[in-house]
Amino acid sequence: GFAPAALYAYLVFVSFHAVFIHANVRWRFPGLRWVIATPEYHHWHHTSDEEGIDKNFAQFLPLWDLVFGTVHLPDYWPRNYGTKLQPPETYLGQLLYPFRRKRATPYG
């Protein structure tokens, strides 16, 4: 057990952070962006620009992306967002999609 106050504080932080990183703002946090995920950091997670594909997976701490070599945080913003590939429409198809055989994709 955690103290209820600590749990409530964590829930407030997580809720605020989730809304904050998905906010459509172009604020820069030069030092902070390497310590905690910011909107700028998360924009690169959602880009369809080739340079940002499969990057910035960390939910809170960019340190994990640094460790695994998946961090991407240049000094400019992505141009495009979304996906170029259409995932399956069925629930089962979506569950099995990550396990499919790799085929040629627009990303190489």
Side-chain angles (χ1 to χ4, degrees):
F2 293 100
L7 184 59
Y8 296 144
Y10 174 75
L11 290 174
V12 168
F13 170 77
V14 169
S15 299
F16 171 77
H17 186 258
V19 171
F20 178 62
I21 64 173
H22 286 98
N24 191 20
V25 295
R26 294 198 177 252
W27 298 340
R28 292 196 180 264
F29 298 90
L32 189 61
R33 70 187 197 152
W34 295 102
V35 177
I36 190 167
T38 62
E40 177 186 17
Y41 185 87
H42 201 67
H43 273 244
W44 281 105
H45 172 76
H46 285 287
T47 188
S48 59
D49 294 347
E50 189 169 337
E51 67 182 288
I53 300 295
D54 294 332
K55 304 289 184 187
N56 295 5
F57 293 105
Q59 187 171 3
F60 297 113
L61 305 173
L63 170 67
W64 292 113
D65 283 310
L66 285 166
V67 168
F68 291 104
T70 55
V71 70
H72 183 70
L73 199 52
D75 288 328
Y76 51 91
W77 294 84
R79 291 180 310 276
N80 302 297
Y81 297 90
T83 181
K84 293 180 181 178
L85 300 175
Q86 182 62 40
E89 292 188 22
T90 67
Y91 179 71
L92 182 59
Q94 290 177 14
L95 289 176
L96 297 175
Y97 187 70
F99 303 102
R100 74 197 184 288
R101 279 193 179 170
K102 296 291 183 179
R103 293 185 293 239
T105 67
Y107 312 121

